[in-house]
Short mmCIF file of all heavy atoms in Angstrom, two decimals:
data_model
loop_
_atom_site.label_atom_id
_atom_site.label_comp_id
_atom_site.label_asym_id
_atom_site.label_seq_id
_atom_site.Cartn_x
_atom_site.Cartn_y
_atom_site.Cartn_z
N MET A 1 12.52 -36.23 -87.09
CA MET A 1 13.42 -36.19 -85.97
C MET A 1 13.07 -35.08 -84.99
O MET A 1 13.17 -35.23 -83.81
CB MET A 1 14.86 -35.98 -86.50
CG MET A 1 15.91 -35.95 -85.47
SD MET A 1 16.34 -37.64 -85.01
CE MET A 1 17.60 -37.26 -83.84
N ARG A 2 12.55 -33.97 -85.50
CA ARG A 2 12.20 -32.87 -84.65
C ARG A 2 11.08 -33.21 -83.66
O ARG A 2 11.08 -32.79 -82.55
CB ARG A 2 11.79 -31.66 -85.54
CG ARG A 2 11.53 -30.40 -84.83
CD ARG A 2 12.83 -29.81 -84.33
NE ARG A 2 12.54 -28.72 -83.47
CZ ARG A 2 13.09 -28.56 -82.25
NH1 ARG A 2 13.96 -29.41 -81.78
NH2 ARG A 2 12.76 -27.51 -81.48
N GLU A 3 10.13 -33.98 -84.14
CA GLU A 3 8.99 -34.38 -83.26
C GLU A 3 9.49 -35.27 -82.14
O GLU A 3 9.06 -35.18 -81.01
CB GLU A 3 7.94 -35.15 -84.09
CG GLU A 3 7.09 -34.27 -84.95
CD GLU A 3 6.28 -33.29 -84.14
OE1 GLU A 3 5.63 -33.65 -83.16
OE2 GLU A 3 6.24 -32.07 -84.57
N GLU A 4 10.48 -36.13 -82.45
CA GLU A 4 11.04 -37.03 -81.43
C GLU A 4 11.75 -36.20 -80.36
O GLU A 4 11.68 -36.54 -79.19
CB GLU A 4 12.00 -38.00 -82.09
CG GLU A 4 11.35 -39.10 -82.88
CD GLU A 4 12.36 -40.05 -83.54
OE1 GLU A 4 13.54 -40.04 -83.16
OE2 GLU A 4 11.94 -40.77 -84.44
N GLU A 5 12.43 -35.15 -80.79
CA GLU A 5 13.13 -34.28 -79.81
C GLU A 5 12.13 -33.59 -78.91
O GLU A 5 12.36 -33.49 -77.69
CB GLU A 5 13.96 -33.25 -80.52
CG GLU A 5 15.21 -33.78 -81.18
CD GLU A 5 15.98 -32.76 -81.99
OE1 GLU A 5 15.67 -31.54 -81.90
OE2 GLU A 5 16.91 -33.15 -82.72
N LYS A 6 11.02 -33.17 -79.45
CA LYS A 6 10.00 -32.52 -78.65
C LYS A 6 9.39 -33.47 -77.63
O LYS A 6 9.21 -33.11 -76.48
CB LYS A 6 8.85 -31.99 -79.57
CG LYS A 6 9.16 -30.74 -80.29
CD LYS A 6 7.98 -30.29 -81.12
CE LYS A 6 8.30 -29.07 -81.99
NZ LYS A 6 7.14 -28.68 -82.82
N VAL A 7 9.15 -34.71 -78.08
CA VAL A 7 8.60 -35.70 -77.17
C VAL A 7 9.58 -36.00 -76.05
O VAL A 7 9.20 -36.05 -74.86
CB VAL A 7 8.26 -37.03 -77.94
CG1 VAL A 7 7.95 -38.15 -76.97
CG2 VAL A 7 7.07 -36.79 -78.89
N LYS A 8 10.87 -36.11 -76.38
CA LYS A 8 11.90 -36.35 -75.35
C LYS A 8 11.95 -35.17 -74.39
O LYS A 8 12.08 -35.39 -73.15
CB LYS A 8 13.27 -36.51 -76.05
CG LYS A 8 13.66 -37.94 -76.27
CD LYS A 8 15.14 -37.99 -76.72
CE LYS A 8 15.65 -39.39 -76.57
NZ LYS A 8 17.02 -39.54 -76.99
N ASP A 9 11.91 -33.96 -74.90
CA ASP A 9 11.95 -32.79 -74.02
C ASP A 9 10.75 -32.76 -73.08
O ASP A 9 10.90 -32.49 -71.89
CB ASP A 9 11.93 -31.49 -74.84
CG ASP A 9 13.31 -31.21 -75.52
OD1 ASP A 9 14.28 -31.88 -75.12
OD2 ASP A 9 13.33 -30.32 -76.38
N ILE A 10 9.58 -33.10 -73.60
CA ILE A 10 8.37 -33.12 -72.77
C ILE A 10 8.51 -34.19 -71.69
O ILE A 10 8.16 -33.98 -70.54
CB ILE A 10 7.10 -33.31 -73.64
CG1 ILE A 10 6.89 -32.02 -74.44
CG2 ILE A 10 5.92 -33.65 -72.79
CD1 ILE A 10 5.81 -32.17 -75.50
N GLN A 11 9.00 -35.36 -72.06
CA GLN A 11 9.14 -36.45 -71.11
C GLN A 11 10.15 -36.01 -70.01
O GLN A 11 9.92 -36.34 -68.83
CB GLN A 11 9.65 -37.73 -71.80
CG GLN A 11 8.56 -38.42 -72.64
CD GLN A 11 9.09 -39.57 -73.43
OE1 GLN A 11 10.27 -39.69 -73.67
NE2 GLN A 11 8.20 -40.45 -73.85
N GLU A 12 11.22 -35.38 -70.42
CA GLU A 12 12.22 -34.95 -69.43
C GLU A 12 11.63 -33.88 -68.50
O GLU A 12 11.84 -33.92 -67.28
CB GLU A 12 13.44 -34.39 -70.19
CG GLU A 12 14.68 -34.32 -69.31
CD GLU A 12 15.89 -33.95 -70.14
OE1 GLU A 12 16.14 -34.59 -71.21
OE2 GLU A 12 16.66 -33.03 -69.73
N LEU A 13 10.90 -32.94 -69.06
CA LEU A 13 10.25 -31.92 -68.22
C LEU A 13 9.23 -32.49 -67.27
O LEU A 13 9.14 -32.12 -66.13
CB LEU A 13 9.61 -30.85 -69.14
CG LEU A 13 10.56 -29.85 -69.81
CD1 LEU A 13 9.78 -29.02 -70.83
CD2 LEU A 13 11.26 -28.99 -68.81
N THR A 14 8.51 -33.49 -67.75
CA THR A 14 7.52 -34.17 -66.92
C THR A 14 8.18 -34.83 -65.72
O THR A 14 7.70 -34.71 -64.61
CB THR A 14 6.74 -35.20 -67.74
OG1 THR A 14 6.09 -34.54 -68.84
CG2 THR A 14 5.68 -35.90 -66.88
N LYS A 15 9.37 -35.49 -65.98
CA LYS A 15 10.12 -36.12 -64.88
C LYS A 15 10.55 -35.08 -63.89
O LYS A 15 10.47 -35.27 -62.69
CB LYS A 15 11.30 -36.85 -65.44
CG LYS A 15 11.09 -38.29 -65.82
CD LYS A 15 12.39 -38.99 -66.09
CE LYS A 15 12.29 -39.79 -67.36
NZ LYS A 15 13.57 -40.33 -67.79
N GLU A 16 11.09 -33.94 -64.40
CA GLU A 16 11.58 -32.86 -63.53
C GLU A 16 10.44 -32.31 -62.69
O GLU A 16 10.61 -32.10 -61.47
CB GLU A 16 12.19 -31.77 -64.37
CG GLU A 16 13.56 -32.12 -64.86
CD GLU A 16 14.23 -30.92 -65.62
OE1 GLU A 16 14.01 -29.76 -65.20
OE2 GLU A 16 14.90 -31.20 -66.63
N VAL A 17 9.30 -32.08 -63.27
CA VAL A 17 8.14 -31.54 -62.55
C VAL A 17 7.70 -32.54 -61.48
O VAL A 17 7.41 -32.14 -60.32
CB VAL A 17 6.98 -31.18 -63.50
CG1 VAL A 17 5.73 -30.87 -62.75
CG2 VAL A 17 7.37 -30.02 -64.37
N THR A 18 7.67 -33.81 -61.83
CA THR A 18 7.30 -34.84 -60.85
C THR A 18 8.26 -34.85 -59.67
O THR A 18 7.83 -34.89 -58.51
CB THR A 18 7.25 -36.23 -61.51
OG1 THR A 18 6.32 -36.19 -62.61
CG2 THR A 18 6.85 -37.30 -60.56
N ASN A 19 9.52 -34.77 -59.98
CA ASN A 19 10.53 -34.76 -58.87
C ASN A 19 10.39 -33.51 -58.04
O ASN A 19 10.54 -33.56 -56.84
CB ASN A 19 11.96 -34.83 -59.49
CG ASN A 19 12.29 -36.19 -60.00
OD1 ASN A 19 11.64 -37.18 -59.64
ND2 ASN A 19 13.22 -36.31 -60.94
N MET A 20 10.11 -32.37 -58.66
CA MET A 20 9.95 -31.10 -57.92
C MET A 20 8.74 -31.21 -56.98
O MET A 20 8.79 -30.73 -55.87
CB MET A 20 9.77 -29.92 -58.87
CG MET A 20 11.05 -29.50 -59.55
SD MET A 20 10.70 -28.13 -60.68
CE MET A 20 12.28 -27.39 -60.83
N ARG A 21 7.68 -31.84 -57.47
CA ARG A 21 6.48 -32.00 -56.64
C ARG A 21 6.79 -32.86 -55.43
O ARG A 21 6.37 -32.54 -54.29
CB ARG A 21 5.35 -32.66 -57.42
CG ARG A 21 4.64 -31.72 -58.35
CD ARG A 21 3.46 -32.40 -59.02
NE ARG A 21 2.77 -31.48 -59.89
CZ ARG A 21 2.15 -31.83 -60.97
NH1 ARG A 21 2.07 -33.10 -61.28
NH2 ARG A 21 1.52 -30.94 -61.70
N LYS A 22 7.55 -33.93 -55.65
CA LYS A 22 7.97 -34.79 -54.50
C LYS A 22 8.79 -33.98 -53.49
O LYS A 22 8.60 -34.09 -52.29
CB LYS A 22 8.74 -35.99 -54.98
CG LYS A 22 7.93 -37.02 -55.69
CD LYS A 22 8.75 -38.17 -56.19
CE LYS A 22 7.98 -39.15 -57.06
NZ LYS A 22 8.77 -40.16 -57.65
N GLU A 23 9.73 -33.20 -54.00
CA GLU A 23 10.58 -32.40 -53.12
C GLU A 23 9.74 -31.40 -52.36
O GLU A 23 9.95 -31.15 -51.16
CB GLU A 23 11.67 -31.71 -53.94
CG GLU A 23 12.73 -32.63 -54.42
CD GLU A 23 13.79 -31.94 -55.29
OE1 GLU A 23 13.87 -30.68 -55.26
OE2 GLU A 23 14.55 -32.64 -55.98
N LEU A 24 8.78 -30.76 -53.07
CA LEU A 24 7.95 -29.74 -52.38
C LEU A 24 7.08 -30.40 -51.30
O LEU A 24 6.92 -29.85 -50.22
CB LEU A 24 7.03 -29.06 -53.41
CG LEU A 24 7.62 -27.90 -54.18
CD1 LEU A 24 6.68 -27.41 -55.23
CD2 LEU A 24 8.00 -26.76 -53.25
N ASP A 25 6.58 -31.60 -51.60
CA ASP A 25 5.80 -32.32 -50.56
C ASP A 25 6.63 -32.60 -49.34
O ASP A 25 6.21 -32.47 -48.20
CB ASP A 25 5.22 -33.64 -51.11
CG ASP A 25 4.01 -33.36 -52.05
OD1 ASP A 25 3.44 -32.24 -52.00
OD2 ASP A 25 3.68 -34.28 -52.82
N SER A 26 7.89 -33.02 -49.57
CA SER A 26 8.80 -33.28 -48.45
C SER A 26 9.06 -31.99 -47.65
O SER A 26 9.06 -31.99 -46.45
CB SER A 26 10.15 -33.84 -48.99
OG SER A 26 9.97 -35.08 -49.54
N LEU A 27 9.29 -30.87 -48.37
CA LEU A 27 9.53 -29.61 -47.72
C LEU A 27 8.33 -29.18 -46.91
O LEU A 27 8.46 -28.67 -45.79
CB LEU A 27 9.83 -28.51 -48.76
CG LEU A 27 11.31 -28.41 -49.19
CD1 LEU A 27 11.42 -27.36 -50.30
CD2 LEU A 27 12.18 -28.02 -48.00
N LYS A 28 7.13 -29.42 -47.46
CA LYS A 28 5.92 -29.07 -46.73
C LYS A 28 5.84 -29.82 -45.39
O LYS A 28 5.48 -29.25 -44.36
CB LYS A 28 4.68 -29.37 -47.56
CG LYS A 28 4.36 -28.40 -48.60
CD LYS A 28 3.07 -28.82 -49.34
CE LYS A 28 2.92 -28.17 -50.67
NZ LYS A 28 1.76 -28.68 -51.41
N GLU A 29 6.18 -31.11 -45.46
CA GLU A 29 6.18 -31.93 -44.26
C GLU A 29 7.16 -31.40 -43.23
O GLU A 29 6.87 -31.30 -42.03
CB GLU A 29 6.48 -33.40 -44.59
CG GLU A 29 5.31 -34.16 -45.21
CD GLU A 29 5.65 -35.60 -45.40
OE1 GLU A 29 6.24 -36.25 -44.51
OE2 GLU A 29 5.28 -36.11 -46.48
N VAL A 30 8.38 -31.08 -43.70
CA VAL A 30 9.43 -30.60 -42.80
C VAL A 30 9.01 -29.28 -42.20
O VAL A 30 9.12 -29.07 -40.98
CB VAL A 30 10.77 -30.45 -43.56
CG1 VAL A 30 11.77 -29.68 -42.72
CG2 VAL A 30 11.33 -31.80 -43.95
N LEU A 31 8.50 -28.36 -43.02
CA LEU A 31 8.06 -27.04 -42.50
C LEU A 31 6.88 -27.18 -41.53
O LEU A 31 6.86 -26.52 -40.51
CB LEU A 31 7.66 -26.11 -43.62
CG LEU A 31 8.84 -25.54 -44.41
CD1 LEU A 31 8.31 -24.77 -45.60
CD2 LEU A 31 9.66 -24.64 -43.50
N SER A 32 5.97 -28.08 -41.83
CA SER A 32 4.83 -28.27 -40.95
C SER A 32 5.31 -28.80 -39.59
O SER A 32 4.86 -28.34 -38.54
CB SER A 32 3.89 -29.32 -41.59
OG SER A 32 2.81 -29.58 -40.75
N GLY A 33 6.23 -29.76 -39.61
CA GLY A 33 6.82 -30.24 -38.36
C GLY A 33 7.55 -29.17 -37.61
O GLY A 33 7.40 -29.06 -36.37
N LEU A 34 8.31 -28.38 -38.30
CA LEU A 34 9.06 -27.33 -37.67
C LEU A 34 8.13 -26.27 -37.03
O LEU A 34 8.33 -25.87 -35.91
CB LEU A 34 9.97 -26.63 -38.71
CG LEU A 34 10.89 -25.57 -38.21
CD1 LEU A 34 11.84 -26.11 -37.14
CD2 LEU A 34 11.71 -24.96 -39.34
N ILE A 35 7.09 -25.94 -37.74
CA ILE A 35 6.13 -24.98 -37.20
C ILE A 35 5.44 -25.55 -35.96
O ILE A 35 5.26 -24.87 -34.96
CB ILE A 35 5.10 -24.62 -38.29
CG1 ILE A 35 5.73 -23.74 -39.35
CG2 ILE A 35 3.88 -23.89 -37.69
CD1 ILE A 35 4.90 -23.55 -40.59
N GLN A 36 5.11 -26.84 -36.02
CA GLN A 36 4.52 -27.49 -34.86
C GLN A 36 5.43 -27.48 -33.67
O GLN A 36 4.99 -27.13 -32.52
CB GLN A 36 4.11 -28.94 -35.23
CG GLN A 36 3.27 -29.58 -34.14
CD GLN A 36 1.94 -28.90 -33.93
OE1 GLN A 36 1.23 -28.64 -34.89
NE2 GLN A 36 1.62 -28.60 -32.70
N VAL A 37 6.70 -27.78 -33.89
CA VAL A 37 7.70 -27.76 -32.79
C VAL A 37 7.79 -26.32 -32.21
O VAL A 37 7.82 -26.16 -30.98
CB VAL A 37 9.05 -28.22 -33.30
CG1 VAL A 37 10.16 -27.93 -32.27
CG2 VAL A 37 9.02 -29.73 -33.56
N MET A 38 7.85 -25.32 -33.09
CA MET A 38 7.95 -23.96 -32.62
C MET A 38 6.73 -23.57 -31.84
O MET A 38 6.84 -22.88 -30.78
CB MET A 38 8.17 -23.00 -33.82
CG MET A 38 9.54 -23.17 -34.46
SD MET A 38 9.68 -22.19 -35.98
CE MET A 38 9.64 -20.55 -35.31
N MET A 39 5.56 -23.96 -32.28
CA MET A 39 4.33 -23.58 -31.58
C MET A 39 4.27 -24.28 -30.23
O MET A 39 3.93 -23.68 -29.23
CB MET A 39 3.10 -23.94 -32.39
CG MET A 39 2.89 -23.02 -33.56
SD MET A 39 1.60 -23.54 -34.71
CE MET A 39 0.17 -23.61 -33.63
N ASP A 40 4.67 -25.56 -30.18
CA ASP A 40 4.70 -26.30 -28.91
C ASP A 40 5.70 -25.65 -27.95
O ASP A 40 5.41 -25.47 -26.76
CB ASP A 40 5.09 -27.76 -29.14
CG ASP A 40 3.96 -28.55 -29.79
OD1 ASP A 40 2.83 -28.04 -29.90
OD2 ASP A 40 4.25 -29.68 -30.26
N HIS A 41 6.83 -25.28 -28.46
CA HIS A 41 7.88 -24.65 -27.64
C HIS A 41 7.40 -23.29 -27.11
O HIS A 41 7.60 -22.96 -25.97
CB HIS A 41 9.13 -24.47 -28.48
CG HIS A 41 10.26 -23.82 -27.73
ND1 HIS A 41 10.98 -24.54 -26.80
CD2 HIS A 41 10.76 -22.59 -27.72
CE1 HIS A 41 11.91 -23.72 -26.29
NE2 HIS A 41 11.81 -22.51 -26.85
N ASN A 42 6.69 -22.55 -27.97
CA ASN A 42 6.18 -21.23 -27.62
C ASN A 42 5.09 -21.36 -26.55
O ASN A 42 5.01 -20.57 -25.64
CB ASN A 42 5.62 -20.56 -28.87
CG ASN A 42 5.79 -19.08 -28.83
OD1 ASN A 42 6.55 -18.53 -28.03
ND2 ASN A 42 5.05 -18.39 -29.68
N ASP A 43 4.29 -22.44 -26.67
CA ASP A 43 3.19 -22.62 -25.68
C ASP A 43 3.77 -22.86 -24.28
O ASP A 43 3.17 -22.52 -23.27
CB ASP A 43 2.32 -23.79 -26.07
CG ASP A 43 1.37 -23.45 -27.22
OD1 ASP A 43 1.20 -22.24 -27.49
OD2 ASP A 43 0.82 -24.37 -27.83
N GLN A 44 4.93 -23.51 -24.20
CA GLN A 44 5.52 -23.79 -22.92
C GLN A 44 5.82 -22.50 -22.16
O GLN A 44 5.73 -22.43 -20.95
CB GLN A 44 6.89 -24.50 -23.10
CG GLN A 44 6.72 -25.95 -23.51
CD GLN A 44 8.11 -26.59 -23.75
OE1 GLN A 44 9.11 -25.92 -23.74
NE2 GLN A 44 8.08 -27.92 -23.96
N TYR A 45 6.17 -21.44 -22.90
CA TYR A 45 6.54 -20.19 -22.23
C TYR A 45 5.39 -19.19 -22.17
O TYR A 45 5.54 -18.12 -21.65
CB TYR A 45 7.73 -19.60 -22.96
CG TYR A 45 8.93 -20.49 -22.86
CD1 TYR A 45 9.36 -21.21 -23.94
CD2 TYR A 45 9.65 -20.62 -21.66
CE1 TYR A 45 10.47 -22.07 -23.83
CE2 TYR A 45 10.73 -21.43 -21.53
CZ TYR A 45 11.13 -22.15 -22.64
OH TYR A 45 12.22 -22.99 -22.53
N ASN A 46 4.24 -19.56 -22.72
CA ASN A 46 3.13 -18.66 -22.72
C ASN A 46 2.06 -19.02 -21.67
O ASN A 46 1.02 -18.45 -21.61
CB ASN A 46 2.47 -18.56 -24.09
CG ASN A 46 3.28 -17.73 -25.04
OD1 ASN A 46 4.11 -16.94 -24.63
ND2 ASN A 46 3.06 -17.89 -26.34
N ASP A 47 2.33 -20.04 -20.87
CA ASP A 47 1.38 -20.44 -19.86
C ASP A 47 1.32 -19.37 -18.78
O ASP A 47 2.30 -18.99 -18.20
CB ASP A 47 1.79 -21.75 -19.21
CG ASP A 47 1.51 -22.99 -20.10
OD1 ASP A 47 0.74 -22.80 -21.04
OD2 ASP A 47 1.99 -24.08 -19.80
N GLU A 48 0.11 -18.88 -18.53
CA GLU A 48 -0.04 -17.83 -17.53
C GLU A 48 0.21 -18.38 -16.12
O GLU A 48 0.55 -17.63 -15.21
CB GLU A 48 -1.47 -17.22 -17.62
CG GLU A 48 -1.60 -16.37 -18.87
CD GLU A 48 -2.95 -15.69 -18.94
OE1 GLU A 48 -3.61 -15.49 -17.88
OE2 GLU A 48 -3.36 -15.34 -20.05
N ASP A 49 0.01 -19.70 -15.94
CA ASP A 49 0.20 -20.29 -14.64
C ASP A 49 1.65 -20.11 -14.18
O ASP A 49 1.90 -20.03 -12.97
CB ASP A 49 -0.12 -21.78 -14.67
CG ASP A 49 -1.58 -22.03 -14.89
OD1 ASP A 49 -2.38 -21.12 -14.57
OD2 ASP A 49 -1.98 -23.13 -15.34
N GLU A 50 2.61 -20.07 -15.08
CA GLU A 50 3.99 -19.95 -14.71
C GLU A 50 4.23 -18.61 -14.02
O GLU A 50 5.10 -18.45 -13.21
CB GLU A 50 4.91 -20.02 -15.99
CG GLU A 50 5.24 -21.44 -16.33
CD GLU A 50 6.28 -21.44 -17.44
OE1 GLU A 50 7.22 -20.67 -17.39
OE2 GLU A 50 6.14 -22.28 -18.35
N TYR A 51 3.50 -17.60 -14.44
CA TYR A 51 3.74 -16.25 -13.93
C TYR A 51 2.97 -15.98 -12.65
O TYR A 51 3.21 -14.97 -12.00
CB TYR A 51 3.40 -15.22 -14.99
CG TYR A 51 4.18 -15.39 -16.26
CD1 TYR A 51 3.62 -15.92 -17.40
CD2 TYR A 51 5.58 -15.16 -16.28
CE1 TYR A 51 4.36 -16.10 -18.59
CE2 TYR A 51 6.33 -15.36 -17.42
CZ TYR A 51 5.72 -15.84 -18.57
OH TYR A 51 6.45 -15.99 -19.69
N ASN A 52 2.03 -16.81 -12.28
CA ASN A 52 1.22 -16.53 -11.10
C ASN A 52 1.83 -17.11 -9.83
O ASN A 52 2.56 -18.03 -9.75
CB ASN A 52 -0.22 -17.15 -11.24
CG ASN A 52 -0.97 -16.35 -12.27
OD1 ASN A 52 -0.63 -15.21 -12.52
ND2 ASN A 52 -1.97 -16.96 -12.86
#
């Protein structure tokens, strides 16, 4: 019975790790998009032509 519990625990942990990886990938996409928006927004105000 003890071996079966270990296998179940490992399967459960594997599922959790897989879900965490998916969440991290989603977060990476969101952060990447946010950084891109911030950079684009920043570029609008850093044009030297505006000040000339």
